Amino acid sequence: MDDFCVFVVLGVNELPRKLISVDESLQRSIAMPPNVRQAVLFSHGRWREHTGVTVEMTDLEGGTITLGKLTPNHKCLLWDCWEGAIRRGVSTLTVKMEGGSLGNEELQYASYDELQNSQKECTKGAAPLPVLEARGKRKRGQDVKETLNKDQENVCPNSCLSDRSTPRRRVRGASRGGHTRLVAQNDSPAHMCTPEKHKTRGKQARTQTQTVSLGRPSSRWGQTLCPVDTQTAILIGGQGSRMQFCKDPMWKLCTEDMSWVAAETLAEGPTPEGRIGHTATFDPESKRIYVFGGSKNKKWFNDVHILDTQSWRWTMVEAQGKVPPLAYHSCSLFRGELFVFGGVFPRPHPEPDGCSDSLYIFNPVLAIWYQPIVNGDRPAPRSGHSACVLQGKIFMFGGWDTPVCFNDMHALDLGLMEFSAVRTSGTGPSPRSWHGCAVLSESKFLVHGGYNGNNALTDSFIFDTDTSCWTTVVNTQLSAVPRAGHSIITMVKPNTEAPTKDEEEQMSEVLPQILLVFGGGDNEGSFFSDLMTMMIDDLLD
């Protein structure tokens, strides 16, 4: 039994059955009867280098969900029917092993009954397993309605908007959070999904999957993609089809060959809970990523998690000072401090959830939050806006505060700590939120896509801070598909040769050369996992 194998236990009264092994099959599918409400998968034997096992479930209607992944650091996986989508009828459990000659491996299929022989072989002489009482993980019980309501709390604009009418102001008790429902199910605004709309679009939603390729992240929106050096970016969080939070929340992107590596098991320490609407900000001085805020269903976050990219270890900060739970805020790094503006924050019933116009600063050295004294023309409360630092100022564009969608521009002078409205010229973007924004040069940044309350958008614009002028970008690659809730970053073009010491010292002064666009949704139920790359010079020209 030293050879590597993967076993499954279907139900609390069953014995383990062998599914795959390196000597027999590298991938296999089995039928799961409708009465199976829990499944445990675990490995046995010596793990080989670069080996991982992906576990997927497919229902009768073709919807596929990635349940998780076995790795040398996570050798056991539990699925129960109370944690995910409701399963009706017989479904298929597929196990795929990474490593070896997967390209020529034919997928094997076994019925539920055919596994009885393997059960007898691998459990011969073993004592019967004790009967355990199945328990829900989060005290949610077995109530299907409760599970559905919880899954529908965070509704993205890309999932099921069949009503394209312009959003109207909510009555008392309605959500002011804009894009995210964080109120009771019966308080559904006109532009959000109601239970009836979920029924009408149920088949379309089920056609979307959260299948994770062995080589790339699952489709999602609301994630963060954070560059950490000239060849590496880190993907964190996100939400996919059926409003389910991604089972593969963390990936590493190597821009040298544009390859993805699953990274949720690479770092030690307490990882952040799955979420959307958070921010991830990299500090090149300390080589750390700061993850702040976000939301998950009815839960809101104001925690700060730090990923040290040198030791690859997570830590959670016990900060002093007060900052409210926020989602869809902006977070900008300036001189080692994080500047957090706006976002959605929860209010207790019967007051509606609201958008913030406050500025909070986090000092990582002192581990403290504080609010500075700010003068000038402060922007209106908003969420889903963008912010970027250029020439000693934070430029903030767009955003949403139901029923208003913005396309105004404000700048915060970080020396004077003073807000000012920016008077712009040229043809600028229409009102939008959840758009992508990235710095292109010392004086220019890009705005692409977003959501205007009815549709996801495809257009792109460049703003010049020297002239305060907008320029429309004509790029067929960017305008091919409407996107909202996607990630846009810029990076220095990777050097195939090892950098010299002088090149490393000058690396921080090199302007970005490549634009990367990942993920998002199209407001029609489709989510993306594609990665677009283009040269910044082509956009500027």
Side-chain angles (χ1 to χ4, degrees):
M1 294 293 288
D2 289 338
D3 293 336
F4 180 82
C5 303
V6 174
F7 295 85
V8 63
V9 179
L10 299 177
V12 295
N13 298 323
E14 299 292 331
L15 295 176
R17 299 173 173 85
K18 185 170 71 172
L19 282 180
I20 59 175
S21 66
V22 293
D23 296 329
E24 297 178 3
S25 61
L26 297 180
Q27 48 185 329
R28 194 174 192 181
S29 294
I30 64 169
M32 290 184 60
N35 63 329
V36 174
R37 306 180 67 84
Q38 283 186 317
V40 178
L41 294 100
F42 62 93
S43 66
H44 181 82
R46 183 182 296 107
W47 279 78
R48 298 187 178 184
E49 187 178 4
H50 307 306
T51 300
V53 177
T54 301
V55 183
E56 299 173 350
M57 179 182 292
T58 304
D59 58 26
L60 290 176
E61 298 180 0
T64 301
I65 300 175
T66 298
L67 302 182
K69 186 173 181 180
L70 299 178
T71 69
N73 295 323
H74 293 75
K75 301 178 181 179
C76 184
L77 174 66
L78 167 68
W79 171 85
D80 63 60
C81 63
W82 304 286
E83 275 296 307
I86 299 174
R87 190 169 64 91
R88 297 180 176 90
V90 178
S91 58
T92 302
L93 189 70
T94 301
V95 181
K96 303 177 183 178
M97 184 185 300
E98 298 178 42
S101 303
L102 280 178
N104 300 323
E105 182 72 17
E106 182 179 356
L107 178 65
Q108 300 185 21
Y109 180 86
S111 66
Y112 179 79
D113 295 333
E114 288 173 344
L115 289 179
Q116 298 297 330
N117 293 333
S118 62
Q119 177 192 14
K120 294 178 181 179
E121 292 177 2
C122 65
T123 60
K124 187 177 181 180
L129 295 179
V131 177
L132 302 178
E133 179 184 358
R135 300 178 180 177
K137 281 187 175 181
R138 298 176 185 168
K139 300 182 180 180
R140 290 188 290 181
Q142 304 177 15
D143 193 342
V144 170
K145 294 183 179 180
E146 182 180 352
T147 303
L148 283 176
N149 287 340
K150 187 173 181 64
D151 287 342
Q152 293 172 358
E153 288 302 327
N154 277 79
V155 179
C156 73
N158 314 312
S159 58
C160 52
L161 280 174
S162 58
D163 186 356
R164 294 178 176 273
S165 59
T166 301
R168 299 186 293 269
R169 179 167 290 278
R170 297 284 309 278
V171 296
R172 185 180 182 187
S175 171
R176 296 180 69 248
H179 306 288
T180 307
R181 291 192 63 255
L182 294 166
V183 291
Q185 185 66 41
N186 57 1
D187 288 332
S188 181
H191 62 287
M192 292 301 165
C193 300
T194 61
E196 290 75 18
K197 292 175 186 175
H198 277 286
K199 292 178 182 179
T200 60
R201 294 183 63 94
K203 286 189 177 181
Q204 177 177 352
R206 279 191 290 268
T207 61
Q208 303 299 323
T209 68
Q210 281 199 17
T211 304
V212 179
S213 167
L214 295 179
R216 68 177 184 179
S218 60
S219 304
R220 66 191 70 199
W221 75 283
Q223 72 286 335
T224 57
L225 185 61
C226 182
V228 299
D229 57 41
T230 60
Q231 296 184 349
T232 309
I234 303 298
L235 174 68
I236 299 175
Q239 187 183 52
S241 60
R242 304 182 185 180
M243 290 162 290
Q244 290 188 356
F245 288 84
C246 297
K247 303 290 186 180
D248 53 331
M250 186 174 172
W251 289 78
K252 178 191 288 188
L253 171 65
C254 178
T255 59
E256 185 176 5
D257 56 359
M258 295 301 168
S259 62
W260 291 97
V261 177
E264 59 265 31
T265 60
L266 296 182
E268 300 178 349
T271 59
E273 187 174 347
R275 61 191 68 193
I276 56 175
H278 56 289
T279 53
T281 311
F282 178 70
D283 182 4
E285 296 294 330
S286 63
K287 307 296 183 183
R288 294 179 174 182
I289 296 177
Y290 296 91
V291 178
F292 169 72
S295 64
K296 180 178 183 180
N297 300 318
K298 290 184 177 181
K299 188 173 183 178
W300 300 65
F301 301 99
N302 64 346
D303 50 359
V304 178
H305 293 261
I306 299 178
L307 175 61
D308 190 317
T309 60
Q310 293 181 310
S311 63
W312 281 100
R313 182 170 185 83
W314 283 102
T315 57
M316 183 174 176
V317 180
E318 296 182 0
Q320 298 179 341
K322 292 184 178 181
V323 62
L326 291 171
Y328 312 108
H329 51 280
S330 63
C331 183
S332 306
L333 178 73
F334 182 72
R335 294 181 178 176
E337 292 186 315
L338 303 181
F339 289 69
V340 174
F341 177 80
V344 185
F345 64 92
R347 288 176 176 167
H349 185 77
E351 292 294 329
D353 298 324
C355 288
S356 170
D357 64 349
S358 299
L359 177 68
Y360 297 89
I361 298 179
F362 177 70
N363 185 304
V365 176
L366 302 177
I368 187 172
W369 286 99
Y370 67 95
Q371 284 189 271
I373 298 175
V374 183
N375 300 314
D377 186 7
R378 184 188 297 265
R382 64 191 64 202
S383 64
H385 56 287
S386 60
C388 57
V389 180
L390 283 171
Q391 301 173 339
K393 297 180 180 180
I394 301 179
F395 289 87
M396 302 175 184
F397 169 77
W400 175 290
D401 185 12
T402 304
V404 180
C405 206
F406 301 100
N407 68 338
D408 56 350
M409 177 92 69
H410 285 77
L412 172 62
D413 190 309
L414 297 170
L416 302 175
M417 292 305 294
E418 183 178 31
F419 275 110
S420 62
V422 179
R423 296 181 179 272
T424 65
S425 61
T427 303
S430 59
R432 66 192 62 204
S433 63
W434 284 355
H435 48 277
C437 180
V439 174
L440 303 181
S441 69
E442 294 179 345
S443 61
K444 296 179 181 180
F445 64 85
L446 173 78
V447 169
H448 168 256
Y451 176 68
N452 64 7
N454 292 320
N455 305 297
L457 306 172
T458 64
D459 49 4
S460 304
F461 303 84
I462 291 178
F463 184 76
D464 191 328
T465 59
D466 289 337
T467 62
S468 296
C469 181
W470 285 105
T471 303
T472 303
V473 177
V474 179
N475 185 283
T476 56
Q477 190 175 4
L478 281 175
S479 60
V481 178
R483 291 179 191 264
H486 51 299
S487 299
I488 297 183
I489 62 172
T490 55
M491 301 185 70
V492 176
K493 185 178 180 181
N495 187 357
T496 56
E497 298 180 358
T500 64
K501 184 176 181 180
D502 292 338
E503 288 175 338
E504 291 179 346
E505 293 176 353
Q506 298 173 1
M507 200 67 74
S508 60
E509 302 176 1
V510 177
L511 294 177
Q513 298 171 290
I514 299 178
L515 183 78
L516 304 177
V517 181
F518 171 80
D522 67 351
N523 190 38
E524 298 292 341
S526 295
F527 297 81
F528 309 117
S529 62
D530 58 331
L531 179 67
M532 290 192 298
T533 64
M534 60 202 71
M535 299 302 296
I536 292 178
D537 287 343
D538 296 339
L539 296 174
L540 296 177
D541 291 341

